[in-house]
Amino acid sequence: MSKRFSIIGDILAEQHNGRIVPGGSGAIALAIAALGGRVTLRSVIGTDDAGKTVLDQLKRARIHPGLIDKVDEPTGVITRNAEGSVTNLKLGAGIKRGALM
């Protein structure tokens, strides 16, 4: 029986070396799932291309998207250079006060 984990937090898209990968709570969820944990993720993500790319990766990792709200806002994006340092941060969709949990 695998351990179950619930995560509440904002998801970002990380751009690094031409790829987009989940950042923020999405990265934590992927790491726990890779270690064999069952993850429930409560968050918000934009319906833009970055959000769709991140959501597809979470689905492939068997993280159910049912508790991730999809909104017509841009997804927050962190851009990193070749060394991994942050070169740009663009805030985007996030959990709002009063959201249903």
Side-chain angles (χ1 to χ4, degrees):
M1 177 180 204
S2 62
K3 293 188 177 184
R4 295 174 53 167
F5 299 86
S6 295
I7 300 171
I8 299 171
D10 290 335
I11 300 173
L12 297 169
E14 283 204 28
Q15 289 185 329
H16 184 63
N17 290 335
R19 294 184 45 217
I20 293 179
V21 296
S25 64
I28 295 167
L30 286 178
I32 291 171
L35 292 171
R38 290 181 51 206
V39 180
T40 302
L41 177 58
R42 176 66 175 109
S43 192
V44 177
I45 196 160
T47 56
D48 57 352
D49 288 338
K52 290 176 187 174
T53 300
V54 167
L55 196 57
D56 286 344
Q57 291 178 46
L58 294 172
K59 288 177 187 177
R60 278 195 302 274
R62 298 175 138 334
I63 298 169
H64 195 282
L67 295 176
I68 301 173
D69 293 336
K70 292 83 175 169
V71 295
D72 290 329
E73 295 178 34
T75 301
V77 177
I78 294 175
T79 305
R80 296 184 182 274
N81 62 18
E83 292 80 37
S85 299
V86 174
T87 59
N88 192 24
L89 170 62
K90 181 182 78 170
L91 298 178
I95 297 174
K96 305 276 192 272
R97 184 177 183 181
L100 296 175
M101 293 289 136

